[in-house]
Amino acid sequence: MNPSARLKPIGVFDSGIGGLTVLHELMRLLPRESTVYFGDTARVQYGNKSETTVQRFALEAAQLLMQHGIKFLVLACNTVSATSLTLLRQRLPVPVVGVIEPGAQAAAARSRGGHIGVIGTAATVESGAYQKAIAAWRPEANVVARACPLFVPLVEEGWTRHQVAEEVARIYLSPLKAEGVDTLVLGCTHYPLLADILSLVMGPEVNLINSASEVARVVRDELERRDLLGQASRPTHRVLVSDGPERFSRVARNFMGEDLGPVELVAVPAAAAVG
Amino acid sequence: MNPSARLKPIGVFDSGIGGLTVLHELMRLLPRESTVYFGDTARVQYGNKSETTVQRFALEAAQLLMQHGIKFLVLACNTVSATSLTLLRQRLPVPVVGVIEPGAQAAAARSRGGHIGVIGTAATVESGAYQKAIAAWRPEANVVARACPLFVPLVEEGWTRHQVAEEVARIYLSPLKAEGVDTLVLGCTHYPLLADILSLVMGPEVNLINSASEVARVVRDELERRDLLGQASRPTHRVLVSDGPERFSRVARNFMGEDLGPVELVAVPAAAAVG
């Protein structure tokens, strides 16, 4: 492997701000890797859109990140992973990892009784991607999935420890509690910020699976396996958005409790038709 | 006026589904007008996006509706009205009406003491458009505005009479109650569906201004003034969306409690640069 390839950045893509939880875990586990994050804030949110539209947006985002010379692409968005992973693997010359397989594998491995709950956006839940991925690792597992459309706006409002969020969580999670799930997959990159409330509602005996930390481990293993691990002494971190860089910086500060540095505004290139 | 011009449809544009409240009022007040509704569901929601991006999307939507031969354009979206009305009036060969001026005028006229509250999306509130429009009609009015980002997702979840919606309303509206507003402008086309809860929280002595019904009256007056009133014996109503027609039909049924008929999927044309 050409050593310069190892110094190229890892691309991280989300429809908006949620993927910062994945970026955060990547930077923690792989402190010598450079990164380029793209949040498609002009067209966020993806969670209620059709598969075809999400695939088109994902292809355009991947092209943008390829123009920034990435060596590896992380789909830090459950909706994109559920709908577009296979397509992007076919189309891109770099390895692509999504958040669903790592989360599904961890859930299958850690569930005691095989009763697994999955929560996510409508698009993620309706795609059945978690259900399929968990079945591949643990065919006898009983998987119950539930869309939780209010969780993303609650997190973006900053109400992550708010009484309203707890009440909404009790409503959304009650069918999963009734099914007796022992493991709950947080199938949306915003949800780790609600972990305290989700854990309170589900009870201490239920495992919460945070895909963000799972995916960081998978990225590290894949980079190692392909001899692509970076060893930059001064890694760089760029953040690109398709709309509202100031707003993104502000929400990111509330969201992650840390400063991102400069956020750059970019235009999304039009992709070739998805076929 | 050429009589065939009168038979052309009225175009109604929203970022998604909220503008159906305006369409509903138009059809009630003007039963002999044909309509073409466009919901830009591929790029919804607009409420957290920048002015430049919303203007670009609005121009593309207007071009699409012009291709459908409209005689009049209604911006049935507060975010679009707040950011793009002037631009669209400059660029389009047909009259354009937004939802802000009619709502502001009604609030200025009906407020007893001139203490007026405005609620809307972040983009609408930050634009200051209601504040300016109310001041034009009633310069001494005291206007207090507040963004309510959770109301749209609550309505789209169908929780319009839910205890959670009431609790969120109490939190959002408490600064407006503390200011003693006597009139509250529902500055987002989704909010009329929360009217029962908003009225409960604000108290019976506070006027709620529903822009949807105000705008329908303004459209009727403008059509009359320009000799453009339609008298179709069998008016037609088309609904176009840029993504997910089935989902739109389903949400519309929950949202409006009525069936829309067929919803057509269309591609949004690229607009010329906004300059």
Side-chain angles (χ1 to χ4, degrees), chain B residues 7-271:
Chain B
L7 289 174
K8 290 179 169 184
I10 298 171
V12 182
F13 164 48
D14 180 38
S15 58
I17 206 153
L20 291 178
T21 58
V22 175
L23 180 67
H24 181 84
E25 292 295 328
L26 281 172
M27 287 168 65
R28 220 171 48 88
L29 193 70
L30 298 164
R32 298 182 70 182
E33 296 287 347
S34 291
T35 61
V36 186
Y37 183 94
F38 173 56
D40 190 9
T41 46
R43 303 187 294 198
V44 75
Q45 310 168 2
Y46 288 4
N48 289 316
K49 289 167 193 172
S50 71
E51 187 168 284
T52 318
T53 293
V54 174
Q55 286 179 343
R56 183 162 62 85
F57 292 172
L59 210 52
E60 291 172 0
Q63 285 180 345
L64 174 80
L65 288 166
M66 288 305 299
Q67 287 164 9
H68 284 81
I70 59 172
K71 65 180 175 185
F72 197 101
L73 177 61
V74 181
L75 306 180
C77 172
N78 282 269
T79 305
V80 172
S81 302
T83 55
S84 313
L85 178 64
T86 309
L87 178 75
L88 292 176
R89 280 188 172 152
Q90 286 162 1
R91 296 287 183 90
L92 297 189
V94 299
V96 186
V97 159
V99 284
I100 298 210
E101 284 171 27
Q105 190 179 348
R110 287 193 224 150
S111 169
R112 289 179 302 277
H115 300 288
I116 299 171
V118 175
I119 54 177
T121 64
T124 299
V125 167
E126 285 164 22
S127 75
Y130 271 105
Q131 295 91 320
K132 267 175 267 171
I134 292 168
W137 291 97
R138 192 159 169 176
E140 89 291 2
N142 166 34
V143 182
V144 193
R146 166 90 204 230
C148 303
L150 285 166
F151 280 172
V152 167
L154 281 164
V155 169
E156 298 204 343
E157 184 68 322
W159 290 14
T160 51
R161 284 179 178 78
H162 198 286
Q163 186 198 330
V164 167
E166 186 182 328
E167 208 172 322
V168 172
R170 286 198 191 281
I171 295 167
Y172 282 151
L173 300 179
S174 71
L176 306 183
K177 287 196 76 166
E179 286 279 336
V181 306
D182 60 43
T183 299
L184 180 68
V185 181
L186 311 189
C188 172
T189 51
H190 281 72
Y191 297 179
L193 294 156
L194 291 168
D196 289 353
I197 276 178
L198 298 175
S199 184
L200 179 75
V201 170
M202 292 306 289
E205 69 289 356
V206 173
N207 299 314
L208 297 191
I209 306 291
N210 173 355
S211 302
S213 39
E214 302 305 327
V215 81
R217 270 193 286 275
V218 170
V219 172
R220 184 196 54 196
D221 295 351
E222 284 292 305
L223 288 173
E224 238 165 28
R225 200 168 67 80
R226 295 164 190 266
D227 192 20
L228 276 172
L229 264 183
Q231 296 294 343
S233 50
R234 299 188 59 184
T236 58
H237 302 285
R238 292 182 71 180
V239 178
L240 318 175
V241 295
S242 52
D243 187 50
E246 305 79 17
R247 190 189 300 263
F248 191 88
S249 293
R250 197 169 63 237
V251 179
R253 211 153 31 231
N254 293 341
F255 190 81
M256 300 301 295
E258 61 193 48
D259 214 311
L260 283 179
V263 175
E264 304 165 51
L265 181 64
V266 294
V268 190

Side-chain angles (χ1 to χ4, degrees), chain A residues 163-245:
Chain A
Q163 186 197 331
V164 167
E166 184 182 329
E167 208 170 323
V168 172
R170 286 196 190 284
I171 295 166
Y172 281 152
L173 299 179
S174 72
L176 306 184
K177 287 196 75 165
E179 286 279 337
V181 306
D182 58 45
T183 299
L184 180 68
V185 180
L186 312 189
C188 173
T189 51
H190 281 71
Y191 296 179
L193 294 156
L194 291 168
D196 289 353
I197 277 178
L198 298 175
S199 183
L200 179 75
V201 170
M202 293 305 290
E205 68 291 357
V206 173
N207 300 313
L208 298 191
I209 305 292
N210 172 354
S211 303
S213 38
E214 302 304 326
V215 81
R217 270 193 286 275
V218 168
V219 172
R220 185 195 52 196
D221 296 349
E222 284 291 307
L223 288 173
E224 240 166 23
R225 199 167 69 79
R226 294 165 191 266
D227 193 19
L228 275 172
L229 265 183
Q231 296 292 344
S233 50
R234 299 189 58 182
T236 58
H237 301 287
R238 291 182 71 179
V239 178
L240 318 174
V241 296
S242 52
D243 187 49

